[in-house]
Each structure stands twice: as structure tokens, then as C-alpha cells.
Amino acid sequence: MQHSSIHWFRKGLRLHDNPALLAAATNCRRLHPPFILHPSSNRAGINAQRFLLDALRDLDGSLQEMGSRLFVAQGCPEEVFPHLFHAWGTTRLTFEVDTEPSACRRDHGVEVIREVSHTLYDTERVLALNDGKAPLTYKRLQSLLALLGPPEKPAPALTQEHLQGCLTPCQASHDGDYRVPTLEELGQDPAKVGPHLYPGGETAALARLDTLMERTAWVCNFKKPETEPTSLSPSTTVLSPYLKFGCLSVRTFWWRLDEIYQGREHSQPPVSLHGQLLWREFFYTAGASIPNFDRMAGNPVCLQVEWDDNPQHLHAWREGRTGYPFIDAIMTQLRTEGWIHHLARHAVACFLTRGDLWVSWEEGLKVFEELLLDADWSLNTGNWLWLSGSAFFHRYFHVYSPITFGKKTDQDGAYIRKYLPILKDFPTKYIYEPWKAPQAVQERAGCLVGTHYPQPIVEHGVASKRNLGRMKAARAQKDTKREPPAGPSTVKSQRKKPKIEQH
Ligand code: FAD
């Protein structure tokens, strides 16, 4: 049978390693590839929306080069699909598996093909090996993956040949009805968008990957903890936004790294680049199986904590007005550029939660969801759980200092001076603690603390000590309520002493 296929682009905004798209083009006489924008279900801010629109335009361009096109429809998929199925006489629907709970799986009376290509492994297979439960440590995940062997190789990229005999009926009116909208049309003010440092799309993703992979020694020596949160140009790959939207296939990235590693000495997981992709897998597997993963209530792995309800503190943190220049510089970079280094995320997440402000990680999660270009439900949630000491991470007594942490890699405060120009003329001695500068120094720097830049909203030494006590109490309470041991599992028991893992 020759099908009339719809390939539904959700993530996976690419032609390379897209097995569901290839399946759509097989035995197919008519192909329609839509993307459904559902603005009201999306918390993404303006920078992330621009990234998505870039990615859609790029995808549309690539499809048009092959005589096809992208159909961008707006609305809720449940309502849009019946209409499209009818209008296009659809007999087959293909899409990439999405493990997020919001991703819908519906039977519309057409053949449905789902393919795994957003993760290295099929999370359902990983979970099946572990009695249906998420592995709660990285080591545990590694032992399960060892049973599965290396990830699958990427599928071949869609080419004109795959589309032989398969037509996308394009009409002039489609340019009006199904074109990629502008930021204005999504209700955004383009004047508010930040610098265009990371253009979206498969073309940009593959070009970025190629450039990075030319740096053989850097790739082989990559050790995440040795990369710098304060570096003025990124010290890690910044492939995360491309992986989030699937402009880049994680399997393509994995196997490109593998080629470089062949015959060379190289770093190992968890700190290597392969190791970073396994962290991604770790949190995807957790997100796919832990109930209520993105909230504290009803989440079985999450420490139950009575966080403070303090909208002023949350607002100050979000806006980069805490009075701690290192924290405020990071939040400014996040707001304006949409990407910050992993350890910078550590610093601000710890500060908001167990470190200083004792505000719930769920609030931080929402802010990151809006501001990050790479905001990814599973990764964002898993990392917030980790940093807030709510799950996975047990060294809750290790608190990042908002004063000394940044100094480790940036004694002079160049990073702060870049993102908080109001402080740029402070002497190095005071750049991390401007409130300690004598009045005359503040005057010479052209910035009076309390007038032009805020006083610290909490005293770190006092707040962190108090919060440590509260954390201990929450953990003690959990220990008294601890459930009986879990049943036997197919691999080794998960109930061991908490492990310290390099994250
Ligand atoms: P690289 O170091 O170059 O790593 C390559 C890839 O590995 C990344 O692109 C990412 O896909 C994966 N990776 C690296 N570190 C992690 C990690 N700790 N957990 C899971 N995957 C990882 N990452 C997101 O992609 N989306 C998020 O929404 C997100 N939210 C986070 C929230 C908090 C509080 C923290 C502490 C971390 C969060 N991370 C998130 C993880 C990590 O910070 C980013 O993946 C990384 O900084 C992206 O930069 P990169 O691509 O240069 O990373």
C-alpha cells in the first residue's frame, strides 16, 4: 500500500538520524510534515522562541530544497490533527518517541509509527532491565547500559532519493497558511530579544559540531569539572539547545566523539563528553518513569522540604538583584543570552534553594524553563532535584559560596564586569563583595551599593548555616519515615550507601 503520510515534527527538528521521518517516506505517495505550535502550553521566553523559529525556518528550507516543505500549524494537537488527517487523507502518522508526560500518544485510526531517536537508548528498554524503575545513580545506569551494548548508529539522513515517488502537494496558499510565524506574530516584542549568539536549526547544529570535532585534543582531554563557569566564551560545547530541540541527534554526536576517541587516549565518563551524554540519558530515564518528577508533592524520590514562600527573594534572584555580583552576573547572562555554564547553574540553583534563599526548586525550574535556550523538561527537573539536595545528591552540606566560588576561575572578576557593567570599575579586591568597599572607593567606581546596586539580600554565612540545619532536619525526618527495602531486582540491588558522583 502506498501511504499518505504525516511525519509530525515535535522535537527531532532535523533530517539526519530521523528514523521516523524515513519511515514516513517509505512506501509513501504523499508526505506532509507538520509542526504544531501550541503557544499557550509553552513557558519558553523570547530567546528560546527565536531559537525555535530559526530551527523551523532552517528545516523548512531543507525540506523545500527536496521539493517538500514544513507545515506550521497553530493550536492544540488534539484539535489540529483531526482536521489535518481529513484534509490530507492521511493513512499513516510517524513521529519520534518523546518521553515527557506532556507528549501525547493518540490513536486517530491511522497507522502509527514511533521511533526512538531523541535519546541514545530506548528508555523503555533500560527501565525494563531495572524492574521498570529508574536507576537512581549514574553507576547503576552505566551497568544497565553495559548490558545493552553501545547505542545504535544514526539512521541515514533523508535525501531526495528517499522521496522518489513521494510528493508533498504544495500550493501557493500554503505560504500564508502554514509558514513559520515571526516573533511578533507569537506576541513577542523583537526589541527585547538578546544577542543572537546561538542561531537555531540543524544547519547551525551540524556546523557547530564540525567545528568542535576539529579540536581533537580538546575533545579527548575534556573533563567537565575542569571547564570554567566564568569563561567569557563558552568552555563547553553549547550543543545543549540543539540537542533539546533535536536539531542535532545525540547518537550522531556520540558516534562522532567515538570516531575521535578511536586509537587515542581520552577522558572517561562521568567527566568526558561521552559522560555528559550519559548524564542526559540518566535524567531522561528518570523523567520517563518517576511519578510527578517535576514537583515535590507525590514525587517518591524527592525530599519533602518546607521551603519558604518569598516572592521578593525569588524576584531578586530572577532579575539578578541579590546583591551578590557572581550570582547576579550569572542570572544576567541567562536572561540576556539564554545559556550559562553548568557550574554557573550549580551556583545559582544552590543559592536559590538550600544555600541561601530557601526558595523551592520548583520556582527555579520555572524560571530556567522560561530563560534557557536548552530548557529541557527531564534535564532541567533532574538537575534542580540534584542541586537543591532533593534527590540523587547527598552531599547537601557542600554549599557553593556566592563569594569565593567564582574567584576560583576568575580572580579579577572579568565575568562580573562583563555582565554587570555598573560594577566594572570596582577594584578587584571588592568585585565579589562590593558592599565591603569604603564609601570613597564606591564613589570612585561610580556605583554606590544600596543606591545603584543592591545590598546583599541575605548574609551568606548566616543564611547558609541556618539552611544547613533545616536540610539536616528534613533529611532526618525522611529517615524516620523511610519505606521498607525495595524488592529484588534483575541486576544488583540499588539499596546501597549513597555514592558521591561527579556531576
Ligand atoms: P556540555 O558539557 O558540552 O555537554 C554536552 C551535552 O551533554 C549537553 O549539551 C547536554 O545535552 C548533556 N549534559 C551535560 N551536562 C549534563 C547534565 N548535568 N545533565 C544532563 N545532561 C547533561 N541541560 C539542558 O540541556 N537543559 C536544561 O534544562 C538543563 N537544566 C539544568 C538545570 C540545572 C539547575 C543544572 C545544574 C543543570 C542543567 N542542565 C540542563 C545541565 C547542564 O548544565 C547543561 O546540559 C550544560 O551546561 C549545557 O551546556 P553544553 O551543551 O555546553 O554542555
Side-chain angles (χ1 to χ4, degrees):
M1 175 182 176
Q2 289 287 302
H3 279 279
S4 178
S5 302
I6 284 187
H7 173 71
W8 181 13
F9 280 106
R10 302 194 288 181
K11 294 173 186 167
L13 302 181
R14 62 174 185 264
L15 302 190
H16 72 279
D17 190 23
N18 196 336
L21 177 61
L22 287 183
T26 307
N27 296 330
C28 169
R29 72 193 152 82
R30 269 206 317 253
L31 172 69
H32 287 91
F35 179 88
I36 301 178
L37 265 174
H38 190 199
S40 58
S41 74
N42 193 346
R43 284 212 194 103
I46 186 164
N47 289 332
Q49 290 198 16
R50 175 178 59 187
F51 189 97
L52 171 63
L53 297 184
D54 284 349
L56 295 178
R57 267 193 303 274
D58 183 59
L59 187 59
D60 186 33
S62 305
L63 288 165
Q64 294 211 19
E65 278 173 25
M66 292 187 201
S68 182
R69 63 161 297 142
L70 186 68
F71 295 82
V72 180
Q74 294 206 34
C76 146
E78 289 90 330
E79 283 159 20
V80 172
F81 268 120
H83 165 73
L84 296 184
F85 284 157
H86 179 71
W88 294 340
T90 306
T91 57
R92 180 166 63 192
L93 170 68
T94 69
F95 53 84
E96 183 183 57
V97 169
D98 188 343
T99 56
E100 290 181 20
S102 66
C104 30
R105 244 186 257 167
R106 245 156 262 107
D107 181 3
H108 296 272
V110 296
E111 181 191 343
V112 174
I113 300 179
R114 306 161 66 242
E115 295 281 352
V116 173
S117 51
H118 191 66
T119 44
L120 289 171
Y121 294 86
D122 179 351
T123 50
E124 285 177 15
R125 281 191 73 198
V126 180
L127 292 168
L129 281 176
N130 202 39
D131 284 348
K133 295 191 203 98
L136 296 181
T137 66
Y138 189 86
K139 279 234 154 68
R140 175 74 170 178
L141 176 75
Q142 281 180 301
S143 66
L144 296 169
L145 298 187
L147 300 175
L148 293 174
E152 267 185 40
K153 291 265 168 80
L158 183 85
T159 61
Q160 201 103 44
E161 274 176 25
H162 294 110
L163 294 178
Q164 291 294 328
C166 169
L167 215 122
T168 299
C170 296
Q171 296 162 15
S173 64
H174 287 162
D175 285 342
D177 298 343
Y178 294 115
R179 71 186 161 75
V180 179
T182 60
L183 275 175
E184 286 101 318
E185 285 165 343
L186 296 184
Q188 297 285 354
D189 175 1
K192 296 204 172 127
V193 78
H196 208 172
L197 300 179
Y198 313 109
E202 179 179 22
T203 308
L206 293 175
R208 191 171 186 91
L209 181 69
D210 284 345
T211 308
L212 287 161
M213 295 302 106
E214 281 166 14
R215 299 167 62 193
T216 312
W218 180 79
V219 168
C220 289
N221 295 327
F222 185 96
K223 294 198 182 86
K224 186 65 164 272
E226 291 172 15
T227 60
E228 298 188 357
T230 48
S231 128
L232 297 186
S233 55
S235 59
T236 54
T237 65
V238 196
L239 286 172
S240 50
Y242 303 97
L243 290 167
K244 176 254 159 88
F245 287 100
C247 303
L248 174 66
S249 146
V250 66
R251 300 191 296 206
T252 299
F253 186 12
W254 175 276
W255 286 106
R256 286 289 294 275
L257 290 169
D258 196 72
E259 271 171 37
I260 293 180
Y261 290 160
Q262 288 305 318
R264 296 188 172 96
E265 265 191 35
H266 60 88
S267 52
Q268 295 291 336
V271 297
S272 62
L273 278 167
H274 263 179
Q276 302 315 299
L277 298 184
L278 293 179
W279 279 117
R280 181 177 183 272
E281 213 65 16
F282 177 77
F283 290 120
Y284 263 103
T285 313
S289 59
I290 295 172
N292 301 308
F293 189 54
D294 63 353
R295 64 204 67 156
M296 181 174 79
N299 179 339
V301 304
C302 181
L303 186 69
Q304 301 297 302
V305 174
E306 279 192 38
W307 300 106
D308 287 344
D309 179 22
N310 192 328
Q312 289 83 7
H313 277 180
L314 175 62
H315 183 74
W317 175 82
R318 186 193 187 286
E319 297 302 316
R321 306 280 302 160
T322 67
Y324 285 95
F326 182 52
I327 300 297
D328 295 344
I330 296 170
M331 293 306 289
T332 305
Q333 185 188 11
L334 172 61
R335 248 196 358 269
T336 52
E337 298 179 2
W339 181 89
I340 49 177
H341 185 276
H342 181 57
L343 293 175
R345 300 181 199 210
H346 273 225
V348 295
C350 181
F351 187 88
L352 179 72
T353 57
R354 66 192 166 86
D356 293 79
L357 301 185
W358 204 255
V359 168
S360 165
W361 61 271
E362 289 182 47
E363 298 301 330
L365 178 80
K366 284 183 219 153
V367 171
F368 271 28
E369 208 171 303
E370 179 193 339
L371 299 180
L372 277 172
L373 296 179
D374 62 33
D376 180 307
W377 186 83
S378 307
L379 275 45
N380 201 14
T381 304
N383 278 284
W384 272 100
L385 282 165
W386 183 297
L387 260 299
S388 62
S390 298
F392 310 119
F393 175 70
H394 304 281
R395 294 169 72 206
Y396 64 93
F397 40 85
H398 173 89
V399 170
Y400 293 97
S401 159
I403 299 155
T404 58
F405 183 52
K407 283 188 193 172
K408 283 190 193 166
T409 50
D410 184 17
Q411 192 64 40
D412 182 46
Y415 176 78
I416 293 173
R417 293 176 208 278
K418 174 174 177 184
Y419 288 103
L420 300 179
I422 183 78
L423 298 178
K424 74 178 181 354
D425 293 326
F426 265 81
T428 295
K429 183 174 175 197
Y430 298 113
I431 189 75
Y432 283 88
E433 301 168 278
W435 64 91
K436 287 194 176 164
Q439 181 79 7
V441 173
Q442 296 188 25
E443 278 168 12
R444 269 202 305 280
C447 169
L448 301 180
V449 176
T451 306
H452 305 116
Y453 181 71
Q455 290 281 356
I457 55 170
V458 289
E459 203 181 313
H460 172 67
V462 176
S464 59
K465 199 165 162 209
R466 174 162 182 252
N467 293 343
L468 201 60
R470 293 160 112 182
M471 204 65 190
K472 267 189 197 147
R475 294 177 69 88
Q477 207 171 16
K478 173 185 139 203
D479 288 341
T480 57
K481 286 188 191 157
R482 197 181 279 279
E483 287 182 8
S489 86
T490 45
V491 189
K492 272 204 246 143
S493 169
Q494 293 204 61
R495 292 187 58 257
K496 280 197 195 143
K497 266 186 150 181
K499 284 249 170 60
I500 296 170
E501 293 194 319
Q502 188 70 61
H503 169 249

